[in-house]
Amino acid sequence: RSLAHAAARTESTPRGLLVELNKLLTPDLKRGFFVSAACASIDPRTGEATLASAGSRAPMLQFVSAAAGIRAVQPDGIALGLDKGPVFERSLQEAHLTLAPGDALVLATEGAFQLLGSDGKPLGDVSFRKLALAEAKSGLDGLAGRIVAAVEARLAPDPGAFDMTVVTAVRVAG
């Protein structure tokens, strides 16, 4: 996190930030170790968003209020630390989208999909999308917390040793 804050002082795009983070992390990671990360930048005036992913298998979700639907966005990119530069930089793609007023962007860690549900199976991408959509349709205030609560309500007593983080960005109607 500290490295990301430092890199953000000189890098203004998600891709640039991840490239810089890779340069900083790779020399210090033991062989076989890596870090997955997702990054988004949103212009609050226009709603234009740029997204990049370094090895994160969790899709970024856009709640499109006009269609009352969810759109998954998953730009390519290998994890931080697996390559010192050239292969990493070639693999890293950005995705672009526009958040209209009333839209939201939902980012979650892979743990949100890997936690075991009450049926003993991983929650999975499809179930997570359905939960996120249902909560977004109910309103955007407190969306991240409500998604986490909805996931937790469906977990097995022992859901596994995965962590879950959910971050949302909402473009208010205006």
Side-chain angles (χ1 to χ4, degrees), residues 30-106:
K30 292 180 184 178
R31 186 174 181 86
F33 282 69
F34 63 90
V35 176
S36 63
C39 186
S41 173
I42 303 169
D43 182 329
R45 292 176 295 109
T46 65
E48 291 179 28
T50 303
L51 315 171
S53 173
S56 177
R57 295 183 309 217
M60 299 173 217
L61 304 176
Q62 178 186 10
F63 170 68
V64 181
S65 60
I70 288 275
R71 173 181 168 221
V73 181
Q74 191 160 16
D76 285 335
I78 64 172
L80 300 163
L82 293 178
D83 175 75
K84 292 183 180 182
V87 172
F88 177 82
E89 290 180 30
R90 280 193 305 271
S91 78
L92 202 57
Q93 297 178 354
E94 286 185 331
H96 302 274
L97 57 87
T98 301
L99 295 173
D103 286 2
L105 184 63
V106 179

Side-chain angles (χ1 to χ4, degrees), residues 116-121 153-157:
L116 301 180
S118 56
D119 61 359
K121 297 178 183 174
R154 288 162 178 78
L155 295 180

